[in-house]
């Protein structure tokens, strides 16, 4: 993506409200596709379009962190909707989830992949990669996969866990710029063994930035 293309994308100032997330994660996931994840740091801005998510259904979902019930670690999932739940995986990667459902009822969506649209140089630096030609194959290394996108946006548990992404004061937000996906596809979730047959992974079909196998 060229700098000219970056400059044409207008990033709204107002984040999506908490009411949007206070629903079934399956509904939230489908409607969150195409929205923009934004990291604001003064005048510096990183933004990526959400192209892949997975829904987790709280205490009714054996694959969900909330399945055992409330704990100190998963408390965010039982709290207000629209808060970041960040966890560490494989001893190396952070993953970003957003809490869903009304407070007291757990649910979440895992952000699995973004299409980078603003602040590419900042993302390259955060990922410790050398900026090259802007080809899709190179840009995929920035935000295609939950660990990659978390690193590209400098998302950590210490910094962002329980952060309210619906607040105007938050440096991590999700905003709506009016983009509407043409085709949404559903598949089974990736990298889990429990409830592995549930079709709770939602992607923008044909988008080259989805992780794993792309759906045409």
């Amino acid at each position: 993506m060229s700098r000219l293309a970056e400059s044409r994308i207008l990033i709204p100032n107002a984040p999506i409200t908490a009411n949007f997330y206070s629903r079934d994660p399956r509904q939230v996931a489908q409607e969150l596709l195409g929205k923009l994840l934004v990291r604001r740091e003064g005048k510096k801005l990183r933004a990526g379009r959400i192209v892949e998510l997975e829904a987790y259904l709280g205490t009714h979902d054996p694959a969900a962190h909330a399945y055992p019930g409330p704990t100190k670690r998963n408390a965010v999932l039982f709290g207000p909707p629209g808060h970041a739940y960040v966890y560490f995986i494989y001893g190396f990667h952070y993953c970003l989830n957003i809490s869903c459902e009304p407070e007291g009822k757990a649910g979440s969506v895992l952000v699995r992949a973004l299409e980078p649209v603003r602040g590419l140089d900042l993302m390259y630096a955060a990922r410790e990669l050398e900026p090259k030609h802007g080809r899709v194959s190179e840009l995929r290394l920035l935000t295609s996969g939950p660990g990659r996108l978390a690193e590209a946006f400098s998302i950590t548990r210490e910094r962002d866990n329980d952060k309210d992404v619906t607040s105007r004061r938050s440096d991590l937000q999700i905003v709506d710029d009016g983009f509407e996906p043409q085709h949404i596809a559903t598949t089974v979730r990736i990298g889990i063994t429990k409830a592995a047959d549930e079709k709770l992974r939602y992607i923008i079909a044909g988008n080259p930035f989805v992780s794993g196998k792309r759906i045409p």
Side-chain angles (χ1 to χ4, degrees), residues 25-200:
R26 291 165 289 196
Q27 187 176 8
V28 173
Q30 293 182 70
E31 295 183 25
L32 207 55
L33 285 172
K35 306 300 189 287
L36 294 170
L37 178 69
V38 178
R39 170 72 87 184
R40 302 180 190 275
E41 298 169 300
K43 295 182 178 180
K44 296 180 180 180
L45 186 71
R46 282 174 270 185
R49 195 171 303 285
I50 299 172
V51 299
E52 179 183 357
L53 298 133
E54 289 179 348
Y56 287 86
L57 309 181
T59 55
H60 301 290
D61 183 352
H65 283 201
Y67 184 67
T71 66
K72 183 178 180 180
R73 181 193 184 208
N74 69 18
V76 174
L77 298 175
F78 293 86
H83 282 234
Y85 170 60
V86 182
Y87 62 85
F88 201 48
I89 191 170
Y90 304 136
F92 189 72
H93 295 296
Y94 289 100
C95 294
L96 171 67
N97 302 257
I98 309 299
S99 62
C100 301
E101 301 281 13
E103 186 170 1
K105 182 180 180 181
S108 67
V109 292
L110 166 66
V111 185
R112 282 199 55 90
L114 305 171
E115 178 177 343
V117 298
R118 183 74 66 84
L120 271 62
D121 287 347
L122 296 172
M123 295 185 204
Y124 274 114
R127 293 272 291 120
E128 297 184 352
L129 297 173
E130 185 70 27
K132 293 184 179 179
H133 310 293
R135 299 190 183 101
V136 169
S137 60
E138 295 167 354
L139 293 174
R140 277 180 52 83
L141 296 176
L142 293 177
T143 54
S144 182
R148 287 175 176 176
L149 74 87
E151 189 170 55
F153 278 68
S154 302
I155 292 169
T156 66
R157 183 171 175 85
E158 181 180 43
R159 179 180 184 180
D160 297 304
N161 191 55
D162 202 21
K163 186 164 287 182
D164 184 357
V165 302
T166 73
S167 171
R168 286 178 176 268
R169 295 184 297 274
S170 176
D171 66 341
L172 188 68
Q173 302 174 347
I174 298 178
V175 303
D176 183 0
D177 70 340
F179 178 88
E180 294 287 345
Q182 292 186 346
H183 182 205
I184 294 173
T186 59
T187 78
V188 296
R189 294 176 291 193
I190 296 175
I192 60 173
T193 56
K194 298 177 180 179
D197 295 330
E198 297 286 344
K199 290 189 175 182
L200 295 174

